Amino acid sequence: MAGKKVIGVLALQGAFREHQAAIERCGATAKKVRTREDIQKADALIIPGGESTTMGRLLESYDLGHTIVERSRAGMPIFGTCAGMIVMAREIPGYQQYSLGIMDISVRRNAFGRQLDSFEAELDIRNISDRVKGVFIRAPFIDRIWGETEVLCEYMGKTVMARENNLLTVSFHPELTEDLTIHRYFLSMI
Ligand code: GLN
């Protein structure tokens, strides 16, 4: 488990407070990160949901991207949820927007369409739990993976959770439920 390790939660925009609270409910230490120094001090990083275009713009204007990319290459565990998934992706078909490009995934934005704008679903996550509640809010999904990326969960035939070594990503919002399964799994990667 994380012990005295500090989990940084990128706090530029989006649902960062909820992630901080979830990590603390797991008994670990979470800190909001907003500067390059904060990122250097953290042992792991969560990139929350929100709006990926805005988050990308803020990452650029705060000049944080290359520090995150460097730490990621050095093995720092990084967990992106929803917009955070988009920000981690190497490809975002149809959009010209900033992304860190650290994970070998191609991500479709707002991919479940208008009919399914926001919904909840019970998810079966490989080797973790077959009953995790997923809250999806204008969620993306992964339409292609390559390299060392592994699919951990599919819903309606779409990949909604994947891992590539030190990188973990989900389409949904585990920080908006009481269930700490996904946060605990991330902590186990540290
Ligand atoms: N639709 C948002 C985007 O494309 C993501 C939504 C979310 O993070 N809940 O950035």
Side-chain angles (χ1 to χ4, degrees):
M1 250 283 287
K4 297 238 177 307
K5 302 255 160 104
V6 173
I7 319 306
V9 183
L10 188 67
L12 303 178
Q13 193 264 336
F16 53 86
R17 290 180 196 84
E18 292 82 353
H19 273 295
Q20 188 175 14
I23 291 295
E24 282 164 1
R25 276 190 280 130
C26 293
T29 305
K31 276 212 168 111
K32 296 186 191 76
V33 303
R34 294 197 173 93
T35 64
R36 288 198 296 259
E37 228 173 49
D38 293 342
I39 293 165
Q40 293 295 10
K41 282 194 214 142
D43 297 294
L45 182 70
I46 295 180
I47 306 178
E51 215 290 317
S52 59
T53 315
T54 310
M55 212 182 300
R57 232 178 267 133
L58 292 169
L59 278 169
E60 270 190 303
S61 59
Y62 284 56
D63 196 19
L64 301 180
H66 62 92
T67 308
I68 299 177
V69 172
E70 252 170 42
R71 292 291 318 269
S72 151
R73 288 199 185 121
M76 177 164 75
I78 301 181
F79 176 30
T81 61
C82 203
M85 168 186 276
I86 300 164
V87 166
M88 286 168 82
R90 233 180 248 289
E91 288 179 9
I92 312 161
Y95 289 90
Q96 291 289 327
Q97 66 182 83
Y98 178 87
S99 86
L100 297 167
I102 51 178
M103 192 165 181
D104 287 342
I105 55 175
S106 169
V107 171
R108 297 256 165 212
R109 288 183 69 184
N110 304 319
F112 287 93
R114 265 207 206 148
Q115 296 304 313
L116 277 176
D117 200 43
S118 298
F119 59 98
E120 283 183 19
E122 196 169 271
L123 303 173
D124 182 353
I125 298 172
R126 204 159 295 168
N127 301 329
I128 300 174
S129 164
D130 59 358
R131 295 191 55 163
V132 171
K133 187 163 97 177
V135 176
F136 293 79
I137 305 170
R138 290 182 297 286
F141 62 64
I142 298 172
D143 66 359
R144 201 163 68 81
I145 62 165
W146 62 96
E148 298 189 4
T149 306
E150 289 171 83
V151 173
L152 293 183
C153 180
E154 287 181 336
Y155 180 68
M156 299 195 339
K158 314 292 186 197
T159 298
V160 296
M161 179 169 183
R163 176 170 176 178
E164 180 188 345
N165 304 313
N166 55 313
L167 308 175
L168 180 71
T169 192
V170 297
S171 297
F172 48 94
H173 287 266
E175 78 286 5
L176 299 183
T177 68
E178 296 296 305
D179 188 344
L180 296 172
T181 306
I182 307 282
H183 285 89
R184 289 213 179 95
Y185 178 73
F186 179 57
L187 291 174
S188 80
M189 290 169 52
I190 300 168

